[in-house]
Coordinates of all heavy atoms in Angstrom, one line a residue:
A149 N 15.1 19.4 -8.5 CA 15.9 20.2 -9.4 C 15.1 20.7 -10.6 O 15.3 21.8 -11.0 CB 17.1 19.3 -9.9
I150 N 14.2 19.8 -11.1 CA 13.4 20.3 -12.2 C 12.4 21.4 -11.7 O 12.3 22.4 -12.4 CB 12.6 19.1 -12.8 CG1 13.6 18.1 -13.4 CG2 11.6 19.6 -13.9 CD1 12.9 16.9 -14.1
F151 N 11.8 21.2 -10.6 CA 10.9 22.2 -10.1 C 11.6 23.5 -9.8 O 11.1 24.6 -10.2 CB 10.2 21.7 -8.8 CG 8.9 21.0 -9.1 CD1 8.8 20.0 -10.0 CD2 7.7 21.4 -8.4 CE1 7.5 19.3 -10.2 CE2 6.5 20.8 -8.7 CZ 6.4 19.8 -9.6
D152 N 12.8 23.5 -9.3 CA 13.6 24.7 -9.0 C 14.0 25.4 -10.4 O 13.8 26.6 -10.5 CB 14.9 24.4 -8.3 CG 14.6 24.0 -6.8 OD1 13.4 24.2 -6.4 OD2 15.5 23.6 -6.1
E153 N 14.5 24.6 -11.3 CA 14.9 25.1 -12.6 C 13.8 25.8 -13.3 O 14.0 26.9 -13.9 CB 15.4 23.9 -13.4 CG 16.2 24.1 -14.6 CD 16.6 22.8 -15.2 OE1 17.2 22.0 -14.5 OE2 16.2 22.5 -16.4
L154 N 12.6 25.3 -13.2 CA 11.4 25.9 -13.9 C 10.6 26.8 -13.0 O 9.5 27.2 -13.4 CB 10.6 24.7 -14.5 CG 11.3 23.7 -15.4 CD1 10.3 22.7 -15.9 CD2 12.0 24.4 -16.6
K155 N 11.1 27.0 -11.8 CA 10.4 27.9 -10.8 C 9.0 27.4 -10.6 O 8.0 28.2 -10.6 CB 10.4 29.3 -11.3 CG 11.9 29.9 -11.4 CD 11.9 31.4 -11.6 CE 13.3 32.0 -11.5 NZ 14.3 31.2 -12.2
L156 N 8.8 26.1 -10.4 CA 7.5 25.5 -10.1 C 7.3 25.3 -8.7 O 8.2 25.0 -7.9 CB 7.4 24.2 -10.9 CG 7.6 24.2 -12.4 CD1 7.6 22.8 -12.9 CD2 6.5 25.0 -13.1
T157 N 6.0 25.4 -8.2 CA 5.7 25.0 -6.9 C 4.6 23.9 -7.0 O 3.9 23.8 -8.0 CB 5.1 26.2 -6.1 OG1 4.1 26.8 -6.8 CG2 6.2 27.2 -5.8
P158 N 4.4 23.1 -5.9 CA 3.4 22.1 -6.0 C 2.1 22.6 -6.3 O 1.6 23.6 -5.7 CB 3.5 21.5 -4.5 CG 4.9 21.8 -4.1 CD 5.2 23.1 -4.7
P159 N 1.4 22.0 -7.3 CA 0.1 22.5 -7.7 C -1.0 22.3 -6.7 O -0.9 21.2 -6.0 CB -0.2 21.6 -9.0 CG 0.7 20.5 -8.9 CD 1.9 20.9 -8.1
K160 N -1.9 23.2 -6.5 CA -2.9 23.1 -5.5 C -4.2 22.6 -6.0 O -5.1 22.2 -5.3 CB -3.1 24.5 -4.8 CG -1.9 24.9 -4.0 CD -2.0 24.3 -2.6 CE -0.8 24.7 -1.8 NZ 0.1 23.5 -1.5
T161 N -4.4 22.8 -7.4 CA -5.6 22.3 -8.0 C -5.3 21.4 -9.2 O -4.1 21.5 -9.6 CB -6.5 23.5 -8.5 OG1 -5.7 24.1 -9.6 CG2 -6.8 24.5 -7.4
F162 N -6.2 20.7 -9.7 CA -5.9 19.8 -10.8 C -5.5 20.7 -12.0 O -4.6 20.3 -12.8 CB -7.1 18.9 -11.1 CG -6.7 17.8 -12.2 CD1 -5.8 16.8 -11.8 CD2 -7.1 18.0 -13.5 CE1 -5.4 15.9 -12.8 CE2 -6.7 17.1 -14.5 CZ -5.8 16.0 -14.1
D163 N -6.2 21.8 -12.2 CA -5.9 22.7 -13.4 C -4.4 23.2 -13.2 O -3.7 23.3 -14.2 CB -6.8 23.9 -13.4 CG -8.2 23.4 -13.9 OD1 -8.3 22.3 -14.5 OD2 -9.1 24.2 -13.8
E164 N -4.0 23.5 -12.0 CA -2.6 23.9 -11.8 C -1.7 22.7 -12.2 O -0.6 22.9 -12.7 CB -2.4 24.3 -10.4 CG -2.8 25.7 -10.1 CD -2.6 26.1 -8.6 OE1 -1.5 25.7 -8.0 OE2 -3.4 26.9 -8.1
L165 N -2.1 21.5 -11.9 CA -1.2 20.4 -12.2 C -1.1 20.3 -13.7 O 0.0 20.0 -14.2 CB -1.8 19.1 -11.6 CG -1.1 17.8 -12.0 CD1 0.3 17.7 -11.4 CD2 -1.9 16.5 -11.6
V166 N -2.1 20.5 -14.4 CA -2.1 20.5 -15.9 C -1.1 21.6 -16.4 O -0.3 21.3 -17.3 CB -3.5 20.6 -16.5 CG1 -3.5 20.8 -18.0 CG2 -4.4 19.5 -16.1
A167 N -1.2 22.8 -15.8 CA -0.4 23.9 -16.2 C 1.1 23.6 -16.0 O 2.0 23.8 -16.8 CB -0.8 25.2 -15.5
V168 N 1.4 23.0 -14.8 CA 2.7 22.6 -14.4 C 3.3 21.6 -15.4 O 4.4 21.7 -15.8 CB 2.7 22.1 -12.9 CG1 3.9 21.3 -12.6 CG2 2.6 23.3 -11.9
A169 N 2.5 20.6 -15.7 CA 2.9 19.5 -16.6 C 3.2 20.1 -18.0 O 4.2 19.7 -18.6 CB 1.8 18.5 -16.8
D170 N 2.5 21.1 -18.5 CA 2.8 21.8 -19.7 C 4.2 22.4 -19.7 O 4.9 22.2 -20.7 CB 1.7 22.9 -20.0 CG 0.6 22.4 -20.8 OD1 0.7 21.2 -21.3 OD2 -0.5 23.1 -20.9
K171 N 4.4 23.1 -18.7 CA 5.8 23.8 -18.6 C 6.9 22.8 -18.6 O 7.9 23.0 -19.2 CB 5.8 24.6 -17.3 CG 5.0 25.9 -17.4 CD 5.2 26.8 -16.2 CE 4.2 27.9 -16.2 NZ 3.9 28.4 -14.9
I172 N 6.6 21.7 -17.9 CA 7.7 20.6 -17.8 C 7.9 20.0 -19.2 O 9.1 19.9 -19.6 CB 7.3 19.5 -16.8 CG1 7.2 20.1 -15.3 CG2 8.2 18.3 -16.8 CD1 6.5 19.2 -14.3
R173 N 6.9 19.8 -19.9 CA 7.0 19.2 -21.2 C 7.8 20.1 -22.1 O 8.7 19.7 -22.9 CB 5.6 18.8 -21.8 CG 5.7 18.1 -23.1 CD 4.4 17.9 -23.8 NE 3.4 17.1 -23.0 CZ 2.4 17.7 -22.3 NH1 2.3 19.0 -22.4 NH2 1.6 17.0 -21.6
K174 N 7.4 21.4 -22.1 CA 8.0 22.4 -22.9 C 9.5 22.5 -22.6 O 10.3 22.8 -23.5 CB 7.4 23.8 -22.8 CG 6.1 23.8 -23.6 CD 5.4 25.1 -23.6 CE 4.0 25.0 -24.2 NZ 2.9 25.6 -23.4
A175 N 9.9 22.2 -21.4 CA 11.3 22.3 -21.0 C 12.1 21.0 -21.4 O 13.3 20.9 -21.1 CB 11.4 22.6 -19.5
G176 N 11.4 20.1 -22.0 CA 12.0 18.9 -22.4 C 12.1 17.7 -21.5 O 12.8 16.7 -21.7
Y177 N 11.3 17.8 -20.4 CA 11.3 16.7 -19.5 C 9.9 16.0 -19.6 O 8.9 16.6 -20.1 CB 11.4 17.1 -18.0 CG 12.7 17.9 -17.7 CD1 12.7 19.2 -17.5 CD2 13.9 17.2 -17.6 CE1 13.9 19.9 -17.2 CE2 15.1 17.8 -17.3 CZ 15.1 19.2 -17.1 OH 16.2 19.9 -16.8
I178 N 9.9 14.7 -19.1 CA 8.6 14.0 -19.1 C 7.8 14.5 -17.9 O 8.3 14.4 -16.8 CB 8.8 12.5 -19.0 CG1 9.6 12.0 -20.3 CG2 7.5 11.7 -18.9 CD1 10.2 10.6 -20.1
P179 N 6.6 15.0 -18.0 CA 5.9 15.5 -16.9 C 5.6 14.4 -15.8 O 5.8 14.5 -14.6 CB 4.6 16.0 -17.4 CG 4.9 16.3 -18.9 CD 5.9 15.3 -19.3
L180 N 5.1 13.2 -16.3 CA 4.7 12.2 -15.4 C 5.4 10.8 -15.7 O 5.2 10.3 -16.8 CB 3.2 12.0 -15.5 CG 2.5 11.2 -14.4 CD1 2.6 11.8 -13.0 CD2 1.0 11.1 -14.7
A181 N 6.1 10.3 -14.7 CA 6.7 9.0 -14.8 C 5.6 8.0 -14.4 O 5.1 8.1 -13.3 CB 7.9 8.8 -13.9
H182 N 5.3 7.1 -15.4 CA 4.3 6.1 -15.1 C 4.5 4.8 -15.7 O 5.2 4.7 -16.8 CB 2.9 6.7 -15.6 CG 1.7 5.8 -15.3 ND1 1.3 5.5 -14.0 CD2 0.9 5.1 -16.1 CE1 0.3 4.7 -14.1 NE2 0.0 4.4 -15.3
G183 N 4.1 3.7 -15.1 CA 4.2 2.4 -15.7 C 2.8 1.9 -16.0 O 1.9 1.9 -15.2
G184 N 2.6 1.6 -17.3 CA 1.2 1.1 -17.7 C 1.0 -0.3 -17.3 O 1.0 -1.2 -18.1
Q185 N 0.8 -0.5 -16.0 CA 0.3 -1.8 -15.6 C -1.0 -1.5 -14.9 O -1.1 -0.5 -14.2 CB 1.3 -2.4 -14.6 CG 2.7 -2.7 -15.2 CD 3.7 -3.2 -14.2 OE1 3.6 -3.0 -13.0 NE2 4.8 -3.7 -14.7
P186 N -2.0 -2.4 -15.0 CA -3.3 -2.1 -14.5 C -3.3 -1.6 -13.0 O -4.0 -0.6 -12.7 CB -4.1 -3.4 -14.6 CG -3.5 -4.1 -15.8 CD -2.0 -3.7 -15.7
W187 N -2.5 -2.2 -12.1 CA -2.5 -1.7 -10.7 C -2.0 -0.3 -10.6 O -2.4 0.5 -9.7 CB -1.8 -2.7 -9.8 CG -0.3 -2.7 -9.9 CD1 0.5 -3.4 -10.8 CD2 0.6 -1.8 -9.2 NE1 1.8 -3.1 -10.6 CE2 1.9 -2.1 -9.6 CE3 0.4 -0.9 -8.1 CZ2 3.0 -1.5 -9.1 CZ3 1.6 -0.3 -7.6 CH2 2.9 -0.6 -8.1
Q188 N -1.1 0.1 -11.5 CA -0.5 1.4 -11.4 C -1.6 2.4 -11.9 O -1.7 3.5 -11.4 CB 0.8 1.6 -12.2 CG 1.9 0.8 -11.6 CD 3.2 1.1 -12.3 OE1 3.7 2.2 -12.4 NE2 3.9 0.1 -12.9
D189 N -2.3 2.1 -13.0 CA -3.4 2.9 -13.5 C -4.4 3.1 -12.4 O -4.9 4.2 -12.1 CB -4.0 2.3 -14.7 CG -3.1 2.0 -15.9 OD1 -2.0 2.7 -16.0 OD2 -3.4 1.2 -16.7
A190 N -4.7 2.0 -11.7 CA -5.7 2.1 -10.6 C -5.2 3.0 -9.5 O -6.0 3.6 -8.8 CB -6.0 0.7 -10.1
T191 N -3.9 3.0 -9.3 CA -3.3 3.8 -8.2 C -3.6 5.3 -8.6 O -3.9 6.1 -7.7 CB -1.8 3.5 -8.0 OG1 -1.7 2.1 -7.7 CG2 -1.2 4.4 -6.9
L192 N -3.4 5.7 -9.8 CA -3.8 7.1 -10.2 C -5.2 7.3 -10.0 O -5.6 8.4 -9.5 CB -3.5 7.3 -11.7 CG -2.1 7.0 -12.4 CD1 -2.1 7.5 -13.8 CD2 -1.0 7.7 -11.6
F193 N -6.0 6.3 -10.3 CA -7.5 6.5 -10.1 C -7.9 6.7 -8.7 O -8.9 7.5 -8.5 CB -8.2 5.2 -10.7 CG -9.6 5.4 -11.0 CD1 -10.1 6.3 -11.9 CD2 -10.6 4.6 -10.3 CE1 -11.4 6.4 -12.2 CE2 -11.9 4.7 -10.6 CZ -12.4 5.6 -11.5
D194 N -7.3 6.1 -7.7 CA -7.5 6.4 -6.3 C -7.6 7.9 -6.1 O -8.5 8.5 -5.5 CB -6.4 5.9 -5.4 CG -6.5 4.4 -5.0 OD1 -7.4 3.8 -5.4 OD2 -5.6 4.0 -4.2
S195 N -6.5 8.6 -6.6 CA -6.4 10.0 -6.4 C -7.4 10.8 -7.2 O -7.9 11.8 -6.8 CB -4.9 10.5 -6.7 OG -4.1 10.1 -5.7
A196 N -7.6 10.4 -8.5 CA -8.5 11.1 -9.4 C -9.9 11.1 -8.8 O -10.6 12.2 -8.8 CB -8.4 10.5 -10.7
V197 N -10.3 10.0 -8.2 CA -11.7 9.9 -7.7 C -11.8 10.8 -6.4 O -12.7 11.6 -6.3 CB -12.1 8.4 -7.3 CG1 -13.4 8.4 -6.6 CG2 -12.1 7.6 -8.6
M198 N -10.8 10.7 -5.6 CA -10.8 11.6 -4.4 C -10.8 13.1 -4.8 O -11.5 13.9 -4.2 CB -9.6 11.2 -3.5 CG -9.5 12.0 -2.2 SD -10.9 11.7 -1.1 CE -10.3 10.1 -0.4
S199 N -9.9 13.4 -5.8 CA -9.8 14.8 -6.2 C -11.1 15.3 -6.8 O -11.6 16.4 -6.6 CB -8.6 14.9 -7.2 OG -8.6 16.2 -7.7
A200 N -11.7 14.5 -7.6 CA -13.0 14.9 -8.3 C -14.1 15.0 -7.3 O -15.0 15.9 -7.5 CB -13.3 13.9 -9.4
G201 N -14.2 14.2 -6.3 CA -15.4 14.2 -5.5 C -15.2 14.3 -4.0 O -16.2 14.4 -3.3
G202 N -14.0 14.2 -3.5 CA -13.8 14.3 -2.0 C -14.1 13.0 -1.4 O -14.6 12.0 -2.0
P203 N -13.8 12.9 0.0 CA -13.9 11.6 0.7 C -15.3 11.0 0.7 O -15.5 9.8 0.7 CB -13.4 12.0 2.1 CG -13.2 13.4 2.1 CD -13.2 14.0 0.8
K204 N -16.3 11.9 0.8 CA -17.7 11.4 0.9 C -18.0 10.6 -0.4 O -18.6 9.5 -0.4 CB -18.7 12.5 1.1 CG -20.1 12.0 1.5 CD -20.9 13.2 2.0 CE -22.4 12.8 2.0 NZ -23.0 12.9 0.6
F205 N -17.7 11.2 -1.5 CA -18.0 10.6 -2.8 C -17.1 9.4 -3.0 O -17.6 8.3 -3.5 CB -17.7 11.6 -4.0 CG -17.8 11.0 -5.3 CD1 -19.0 10.7 -5.9 CD2 -16.6 10.7 -6.0 CE1 -19.1 10.0 -7.1 CE2 -16.7 10.0 -7.3 CZ -17.9 9.7 -7.8
Y206 N -15.8 9.4 -2.6 CA -15.0 8.3 -2.7 C -15.6 7.1 -2.0 O -15.6 6.0 -2.6 CB -13.6 8.6 -2.1 CG -12.5 7.5 -2.2 CD1 -11.5 7.6 -3.2 CD2 -12.6 6.4 -1.4 CE1 -10.6 6.6 -3.3 CE2 -11.6 5.4 -1.6 CZ -10.6 5.5 -2.5 OH -9.6 4.5 -2.6
K207 N -16.1 7.3 -0.8 CA -16.7 6.2 -0.1 C -18.0 5.7 -0.8 O -18.2 4.5 -0.9 CB -17.1 6.7 1.3 CG -15.9 6.7 2.3 CD -16.4 7.1 3.7 CE -15.4 7.9 4.4 NZ -15.8 8.7 5.5
E208 N -18.8 6.7 -1.2 CA -20.1 6.2 -1.9 C -19.8 5.4 -3.1 O -20.4 4.3 -3.3 CB -20.9 7.4 -2.4 CG -21.7 8.1 -1.3 CD -22.1 9.5 -1.7 OE1 -22.0 9.9 -2.8 OE2 -22.6 10.2 -0.8
A209 N -18.8 5.8 -3.9 CA -18.5 5.1 -5.2 C -17.7 3.9 -4.9 O -18.1 2.8 -5.3 CB -17.8 6.1 -6.1
L210 N -16.5 4.0 -4.3 CA -15.6 2.9 -4.4 C -15.7 1.9 -3.2 O -15.2 0.8 -3.2 CB -14.2 3.4 -4.5 CG -13.9 4.3 -5.7 CD1 -12.4 4.7 -5.8 CD2 -14.2 3.5 -7.0
I211 N -16.4 2.4 -2.1 CA -16.5 1.5 -0.9 C -17.9 1.0 -0.8 O -18.2 -0.2 -0.7 CB -16.0 2.2 0.4 CG1 -14.5 2.5 0.2 CG2 -16.3 1.4 1.6 CD1 -13.9 3.3 1.3
D212 N -18.9 1.9 -0.9 CA -20.3 1.5 -0.8 C -20.8 1.0 -2.1 O -21.9 0.4 -2.2 CB -21.2 2.6 -0.3 CG -20.7 3.1 1.1 OD1 -20.1 2.3 1.8 OD2 -21.0 4.3 1.4

Side-chain angles (χ1 to χ4, degrees):
I150 299 181
F151 266 55
D152 286 351
E153 195 177 301
L154 306 179
K155 299 193 172 39
L156 301 172
T157 51
K160 293 277 177 247
T161 63
F162 189 75
D163 287 346
E164 277 179 38
L165 175 66
V166 174
V168 159
D170 268 349
K171 287 188 188 148
I172 295 167
R173 185 185 304 100
K174 283 185 187 127
Y177 300 108
I178 298 162
L180 192 63
H182 181 66
Q185 296 172 347
W187 74 271
Q188 293 187 58
D189 302 336
T191 301
L192 306 187
F193 195 62
D194 274 4
S195 285
V197 172
M198 182 63 82
S199 172
K204 189 168 165 283
F205 173 74
Y206 184 101
K207 280 184 215 162
E208 280 164 9
L210 299 183
I211 296 175
D212 300 338

